[in-house]
Amino acid sequence: MKLLQEEREEPEINLTSLIDVVFLLLIFFMVSTTFERQALLRLDLPEASTAESETVPELVEFIVTEDGRLFVGDQELVDQRQATVQAAIARRFAEDPDSVLVIRADAEAPHRLVVRVLDSAAAEGIRRVSIAALEGEGE
């Protein structure tokens, strides 16, 4: 009598769910990791007797708030008159004439005050002036 032999299936491990979990972990770590900028190349610069060190100019911040208050650095000006603004700028630039004037004006600040600061800087002969702004998303 011939018996029907039952075919035995080889046991196998289904790796599909394991691969899914590995990919989910990989995506999680890619999203949650912060990357630091590191110099790719390390250089040992040669020395030179005539080399000049690069100096970053001092920044003088002139702040114009939404309600029209004026600050030079962290000191508030007593009023908004042209003479006061000009005197404050002149005093700051007398300490370091190579400084750069940075005007930080609130978006809702009165335009006339920003123009007054620019005019005072021009009257003092300051040529290195910038207006701080945030990078827009564009439209």
PDB file of all heavy atoms in Angstrom, residues 87-108:
ATOM      1  N   ALA A  87      22.874 113.631  18.603  1.00  0.00           N
ATOM      2  CA  ALA A  87      23.848 113.648  19.701  1.00  0.00           C
ATOM      3  C   ALA A  87      24.132 112.232  20.205  1.00  0.00           C
ATOM      4  O   ALA A  87      25.288 111.899  20.514  1.00  0.00           O
ATOM      5  CB  ALA A  87      23.328 114.528  20.841  1.00  0.00           C
ATOM      6  N   ALA A  88      23.087 111.402  20.276  1.00  0.00           N
ATOM      7  CA  ALA A  88      23.285 110.026  20.736  1.00  0.00           C
ATOM      8  C   ALA A  88      24.154 109.247  19.755  1.00  0.00           C
ATOM      9  O   ALA A  88      25.059 108.504  20.157  1.00  0.00           O
ATOM     10  CB  ALA A  88      21.934 109.339  20.912  1.00  0.00           C
ATOM     11  N   ILE A  89      23.911 109.440  18.478  1.00  0.00           N
ATOM     12  CA  ILE A  89      24.722 108.752  17.464  1.00  0.00           C
ATOM     13  C   ILE A  89      26.155 109.276  17.494  1.00  0.00           C
ATOM     14  O   ILE A  89      27.119 108.505  17.438  1.00  0.00           O
ATOM     15  CB  ILE A  89      24.081 108.920  16.066  1.00  0.00           C
ATOM     16  CG1 ILE A  89      22.776 108.121  16.002  1.00  0.00           C
ATOM     17  CG2 ILE A  89      25.037 108.470  14.974  1.00  0.00           C
ATOM     18  CD1 ILE A  89      21.987 108.351  14.727  1.00  0.00           C
ATOM     19  N   ALA A  90      26.302 110.586  17.621  1.00  0.00           N
ATOM     20  CA  ALA A  90      27.654 111.175  17.648  1.00  0.00           C
ATOM     21  C   ALA A  90      28.447 110.669  18.843  1.00  0.00           C
ATOM     22  O   ALA A  90      29.643 110.371  18.720  1.00  0.00           O
ATOM     23  CB  ALA A  90      27.538 112.687  17.682  1.00  0.00           C
ATOM     24  N   ARG A  91      27.807 110.534  19.980  1.00  0.00           N
ATOM     25  CA  ARG A  91      28.513 110.058  21.168  1.00  0.00           C
ATOM     26  C   ARG A  91      28.963 108.615  21.008  1.00  0.00           C
ATOM     27  O   ARG A  91      30.075 108.256  21.360  1.00  0.00           O
ATOM     28  CB  ARG A  91      27.625 110.207  22.401  1.00  0.00           C
ATOM     29  CG  ARG A  91      28.420 110.008  23.682  1.00  0.00           C
ATOM     30  CD  ARG A  91      27.652 110.318  24.901  1.00  0.00           C
ATOM     31  NE  ARG A  91      26.661 109.261  25.089  1.00  0.00           N
ATOM     32  CZ  ARG A  91      25.582 109.367  25.828  1.00  0.00           C
ATOM     33  NH1 ARG A  91      25.328 110.489  26.444  1.00  0.00           N
ATOM     34  NH2 ARG A  91      24.759 108.367  25.956  1.00  0.00           N
ATOM     35  N   ARG A  92      28.093 107.777  20.440  1.00  0.00           N
ATOM     36  CA  ARG A  92      28.470 106.377  20.239  1.00  0.00           C
ATOM     37  C   ARG A  92      29.598 106.225  19.223  1.00  0.00           C
ATOM     38  O   ARG A  92      30.509 105.423  19.392  1.00  0.00           O
ATOM     39  CB  ARG A  92      27.272 105.554  19.772  1.00  0.00           C
ATOM     40  CG  ARG A  92      26.366 105.142  20.867  1.00  0.00           C
ATOM     41  CD  ARG A  92      27.148 104.242  21.844  1.00  0.00           C
ATOM     42  NE  ARG A  92      26.308 103.810  22.913  1.00  0.00           N
ATOM     43  CZ  ARG A  92      25.834 102.588  23.021  1.00  0.00           C
ATOM     44  NH1 ARG A  92      26.178 101.696  22.133  1.00  0.00           N
ATOM     45  NH2 ARG A  92      25.054 102.271  24.005  1.00  0.00           N
ATOM     46  N   PHE A  93      29.553 107.022  18.172  1.00  0.00           N
ATOM     47  CA  PHE A  93      30.566 106.882  17.133  1.00  0.00           C
ATOM     48  C   PHE A  93      31.852 107.618  17.485  1.00  0.00           C
ATOM     49  O   PHE A  93      32.877 107.385  16.856  1.00  0.00           O
ATOM     50  CB  PHE A  93      30.014 107.333  15.774  1.00  0.00           C
ATOM     51  CG  PHE A  93      29.217 106.249  15.113  1.00  0.00           C
ATOM     52  CD1 PHE A  93      27.882 106.057  15.442  1.00  0.00           C
ATOM     53  CD2 PHE A  93      29.794 105.397  14.191  1.00  0.00           C
ATOM     54  CE1 PHE A  93      27.146 105.038  14.864  1.00  0.00           C
ATOM     55  CE2 PHE A  93      29.072 104.384  13.611  1.00  0.00           C
ATOM     56  CZ  PHE A  93      27.746 104.199  13.948  1.00  0.00           C
ATOM     57  N   ALA A  94      31.818 108.482  18.485  1.00  0.00           N
ATOM     58  CA  ALA A  94      33.063 109.100  18.958  1.00  0.00           C
ATOM     59  C   ALA A  94      33.924 108.058  19.647  1.00  0.00           C
ATOM     60  O   ALA A  94      35.154 108.110  19.575  1.00  0.00           O
ATOM     61  CB  ALA A  94      32.735 110.247  19.910  1.00  0.00           C
ATOM     62  N   GLU A  95      33.288 107.083  20.285  1.00  0.00           N
ATOM     63  CA  GLU A  95      34.034 106.012  20.953  1.00  0.00           C
ATOM     64  C   GLU A  95      34.695 105.085  19.943  1.00  0.00           C
ATOM     65  O   GLU A  95      35.808 104.643  20.145  1.00  0.00           O
ATOM     66  CB  GLU A  95      33.088 105.208  21.844  1.00  0.00           C
ATOM     67  CG  GLU A  95      32.456 106.017  22.946  1.00  0.00           C
ATOM     68  CD  GLU A  95      31.325 105.279  23.635  1.00  0.00           C
ATOM     69  OE1 GLU A  95      31.058 104.106  23.285  1.00  0.00           O
ATOM     70  OE2 GLU A  95      30.703 105.883  24.524  1.00  0.00           O
ATOM     71  N   ASP A  96      33.987 104.748  18.871  1.00  0.00           N
ATOM     72  CA  ASP A  96      34.525 103.838  17.854  1.00  0.00           C
ATOM     73  C   ASP A  96      34.020 104.282  16.485  1.00  0.00           C
ATOM     74  O   ASP A  96      32.936 103.895  16.047  1.00  0.00           O
ATOM     75  CB  ASP A  96      34.081 102.400  18.149  1.00  0.00           C
ATOM     76  CG  ASP A  96      34.762 101.402  17.236  1.00  0.00           C
ATOM     77  OD1 ASP A  96      35.648 101.791  16.453  1.00  0.00           O
ATOM     78  OD2 ASP A  96      34.401 100.217  17.309  1.00  0.00           O
ATOM     79  N   PRO A  97      34.805 105.109  15.787  1.00  0.00           N
ATOM     80  CA  PRO A  97      34.324 105.654  14.505  1.00  0.00           C
ATOM     81  C   PRO A  97      34.162 104.609  13.399  1.00  0.00           C
ATOM     82  O   PRO A  97      33.494 104.883  12.403  1.00  0.00           O
ATOM     83  CB  PRO A  97      35.399 106.673  14.123  1.00  0.00           C
ATOM     84  CG  PRO A  97      36.481 106.558  15.109  1.00  0.00           C
ATOM     85  CD  PRO A  97      36.089 105.648  16.188  1.00  0.00           C
ATOM     86  N   ASP A  98      34.766 103.438  13.551  1.00  0.00           N
ATOM     87  CA  ASP A  98      34.643 102.411  12.512  1.00  0.00           C
ATOM     88  C   ASP A  98      33.431 101.511  12.712  1.00  0.00           C
ATOM     89  O   ASP A  98      33.274 100.511  12.014  1.00  0.00           O
ATOM     90  CB  ASP A  98      35.909 101.549  12.480  1.00  0.00           C
ATOM     91  CG  ASP A  98      37.116 102.348  12.047  1.00  0.00           C
ATOM     92  OD1 ASP A  98      36.934 103.294  11.263  1.00  0.00           O
ATOM     93  OD2 ASP A  98      38.238 102.029  12.505  1.00  0.00           O
ATOM     94  N   SER A  99      32.577 101.850  13.626  1.00  0.00           N
ATOM     95  CA  SER A  99      31.393 101.020  13.905  1.00  0.00           C
ATOM     96  C   SER A  99      30.401 101.067  12.749  1.00  0.00           C
ATOM     97  O   SER A  99      30.483 101.923  11.865  1.00  0.00           O
ATOM     98  CB  SER A  99      30.687 101.512  15.169  1.00  0.00           C
ATOM     99  OG  SER A  99      31.529 101.393  16.269  1.00  0.00           O
ATOM    100  N   VAL A 100      29.483 100.148  12.781  1.00  0.00           N
ATOM    101  CA  VAL A 100      28.405 100.087  11.792  1.00  0.00           C
ATOM    102  C   VAL A 100      27.098 100.362  12.518  1.00  0.00           C
ATOM    103  O   VAL A 100      26.833  99.779  13.567  1.00  0.00           O
ATOM    104  CB  VAL A 100      28.350  98.693  11.127  1.00  0.00           C
ATOM    105  CG1 VAL A 100      27.165  98.584  10.194  1.00  0.00           C
ATOM    106  CG2 VAL A 100      29.646  98.403  10.401  1.00  0.00           C
ATOM    107  N   LEU A 101      26.309 101.273  11.972  1.00  0.00           N
ATOM    108  CA  LEU A 101      25.011 101.594  12.561  1.00  0.00           C
ATOM    109  C   LEU A 101      23.961 100.635  12.003  1.00  0.00           C
ATOM    110  O   LEU A 101      23.789 100.531  10.787  1.00  0.00           O
ATOM    111  CB  LEU A 101      24.615 103.034  12.248  1.00  0.00           C
ATOM    112  CG  LEU A 101      23.259 103.489  12.787  1.00  0.00           C
ATOM    113  CD1 LEU A 101      23.258 103.467  14.315  1.00  0.00           C
ATOM    114  CD2 LEU A 101      22.917 104.875  12.276  1.00  0.00           C
ATOM    115  N   VAL A 102      23.287  99.931  12.891  1.00  0.00           N
ATOM    116  CA  VAL A 102      22.223  99.010  12.501  1.00  0.00           C
ATOM    117  C   VAL A 102      20.913  99.556  13.060  1.00  0.00           C
ATOM    118  O   VAL A 102      20.793  99.744  14.279  1.00  0.00           O
ATOM    119  CB  VAL A 102      22.474  97.589  13.044  1.00  0.00           C
ATOM    120  CG1 VAL A 102      21.329  96.667  12.664  1.00  0.00           C
ATOM    121  CG2 VAL A 102      23.785  97.050  12.520  1.00  0.00           C
ATOM    122  N   ILE A 103      19.983  99.829  12.202  1.00  0.00           N
ATOM    123  CA  ILE A 103      18.687 100.356  12.626  1.00  0.00           C
ATOM    124  C   ILE A 103      17.713  99.193  12.687  1.00  0.00           C
ATOM    125  O   ILE A 103      17.454  98.533  11.685  1.00  0.00           O
ATOM    126  CB  ILE A 103      18.178 101.440  11.661  1.00  0.00           C
ATOM    127  CG1 ILE A 103      19.187 102.582  11.591  1.00  0.00           C
ATOM    128  CG2 ILE A 103      16.810 101.943  12.097  1.00  0.00           C
ATOM    129  CD1 ILE A 103      18.871 103.600  10.528  1.00  0.00           C
ATOM    130  N   ARG A 104      17.195  98.960  13.877  1.00  0.00           N
ATOM    131  CA  ARG A 104      16.198  97.904  14.073  1.00  0.00           C
ATOM    132  C   ARG A 104      14.869  98.592  14.369  1.00  0.00           C
ATOM    133  O   ARG A 104      14.636  99.035  15.479  1.00  0.00           O
ATOM    134  CB  ARG A 104      16.576  96.999  15.232  1.00  0.00           C
ATOM    135  CG  ARG A 104      17.817  96.210  14.995  1.00  0.00           C
ATOM    136  CD  ARG A 104      18.064  95.246  16.128  1.00  0.00           C
ATOM    137  NE  ARG A 104      19.264  94.509  15.930  1.00  0.00           N
ATOM    138  CZ  ARG A 104      19.331  93.374  15.245  1.00  0.00           C
ATOM    139  NH1 ARG A 104      18.250  92.862  14.742  1.00  0.00           N
ATOM    140  NH2 ARG A 104      20.477  92.768  15.083  1.00  0.00           N
ATOM    141  N   ALA A 105      14.058  98.702  13.363  1.00  0.00           N
ATOM    142  CA  ALA A 105      12.778  99.389  13.512  1.00  0.00           C
ATOM    143  C   ALA A 105      11.649  98.368  13.441  1.00  0.00           C
ATOM    144  O   ALA A 105      11.667  97.468  12.595  1.00  0.00           O
ATOM    145  CB  ALA A 105      12.603 100.435  12.420  1.00  0.00           C
ATOM    146  N   ASP A 106      10.704  98.516  14.350  1.00  0.00           N
ATOM    147  CA  ASP A 106       9.517  97.662  14.318  1.00  0.00           C
ATOM    148  C   ASP A 106       8.774  97.901  12.998  1.00  0.00           C
ATOM    149  O   ASP A 106       8.824  99.002  12.431  1.00  0.00           O
ATOM    150  CB  ASP A 106       8.617  98.014  15.508  1.00  0.00           C
ATOM    151  CG  ASP A 106       7.481  97.039  15.653  1.00  0.00           C
ATOM    152  OD1 ASP A 106       6.438  97.237  14.976  1.00  0.00           O
ATOM    153  OD2 ASP A 106       7.631  96.096  16.437  1.00  0.00           O
ATOM    154  N   ALA A 107       8.098  96.876  12.515  1.00  0.00           N
ATOM    155  CA  ALA A 107       7.364  97.010  11.258  1.00  0.00           C
ATOM    156  C   ALA A 107       6.281  98.079  11.350  1.00  0.00           C
ATOM    157  O   ALA A 107       5.917  98.697  10.352  1.00  0.00           O
ATOM    158  CB  ALA A 107       6.747  95.672  10.867  1.00  0.00           C
ATOM    159  N   GLU A 108       5.782  98.318  12.555  1.00  0.00           N
ATOM    160  CA  GLU A 108       4.733  99.323  12.752  1.00  0.00           C
ATOM    161  C   GLU A 108       5.291 100.642  13.293  1.00  0.00           C
ATOM    162  O   GLU A 108       4.525 101.511  13.691  1.00  0.00           O
ATOM    163  CB  GLU A 108       3.682  98.763  13.719  1.00  0.00           C
ATOM    164  CG  GLU A 108       3.056  97.455  13.265  1.00  0.00           C
ATOM    165  CD  GLU A 108       2.306  97.573  11.946  1.00  0.00           C
ATOM    166  OE1 GLU A 108       1.684  98.627  11.709  1.00  0.00           O
ATOM    167  OE2 GLU A 108       2.360  96.625  11.145  1.00  0.00           O
TER     168      GLU A 108
END
